Amino acid sequence: MALYSEKVMDHFLHPRNVGVIENADGIGEVGNAKCGDIMKMYLKIDGNIITDVKFETFGCASAIASSSMATELIKGQPVEDAMKLTNKAVAEALDGLPQHKIHCSVLAEEAIQAALEDYKTKRYK
Ligand code: FES
């Protein structure tokens, strides 16, 4: 069996929503100390809906595929739904990740959570 699913390969080779959002409403950056990978998420939020999301990931194929899939899953969704996004949902949407690559999907969950926290902090300041 191939190490990576077709979906992982597709999102790795053709990542969706790569880039930066100027004047983002929320920015989250997280890293994994063990592998050194870094993920940054930018959110544009309008009336509680995530209207745009972009990412920059300095990392492995699974981290890039996870970032790409995570952005697709939350784009157009209400903030409350995005807050519930788990790494498990990201991995499942990619038709699974190898066991030793699960932490890459955790990074995507954490980056989105960090961006949402940043949004909330800015909003309620
Ligand atoms: Fe660390 Fe993939 S190996 S995020």
Side-chain angles (χ1 to χ4, degrees):
M1 199 187 106
L3 182 60
Y4 293 117
S5 71
E6 277 179 28
K7 274 197 190 164
V8 172
M9 289 308 295
D10 179 36
H11 279 263
F12 167 53
L13 295 172
H14 311 285
R16 282 61 148 183
N17 308 309
V18 176
V20 174
I21 297 178
E22 301 297 340
N23 301 319
D25 296 308
I27 299 174
E29 183 172 341
V30 294
N32 182 298
K34 271 194 190 154
C35 63
D37 290 356
I38 296 168
M39 202 179 280
K40 195 166 180 179
M41 288 276 174
Y42 302 82
L43 303 175
K44 199 77 199 159
I45 297 171
D46 188 9
N48 209 41
I49 299 290
I50 298 172
T51 54
D52 199 10
V53 47
K54 296 226 181 294
F55 77 91
E56 295 177 304
T57 292
F58 192 82
C60 71
S62 299
I64 291 167
S66 295
S67 318
S68 172
M69 182 54 88
T71 59
E72 288 283 271
L73 290 173
I74 66 164
K75 201 171 185 177
Q77 300 300 314
V79 167
E80 292 74 27
D81 289 5
M83 282 168 69
K84 291 185 210 142
L85 182 76
T86 61
N87 80 292
K88 198 165 172 265
V90 174
E92 277 174 12
L94 288 167
D95 290 339
L97 285 168
Q99 192 55 39
H100 67 289
K101 288 288 181 182
I102 293 293
H103 80 271
C104 315
S105 61
V106 172
L107 216 52
E109 177 188 324
E110 289 176 350
I112 286 171
Q113 296 302 326
L116 289 168
E117 282 304 318
D118 182 49
Y119 163 69
K120 282 198 245 163
T121 308
K122 283 177 178 154
R123 192 176 161 197
Y124 296 113
K125 237 184 194 174

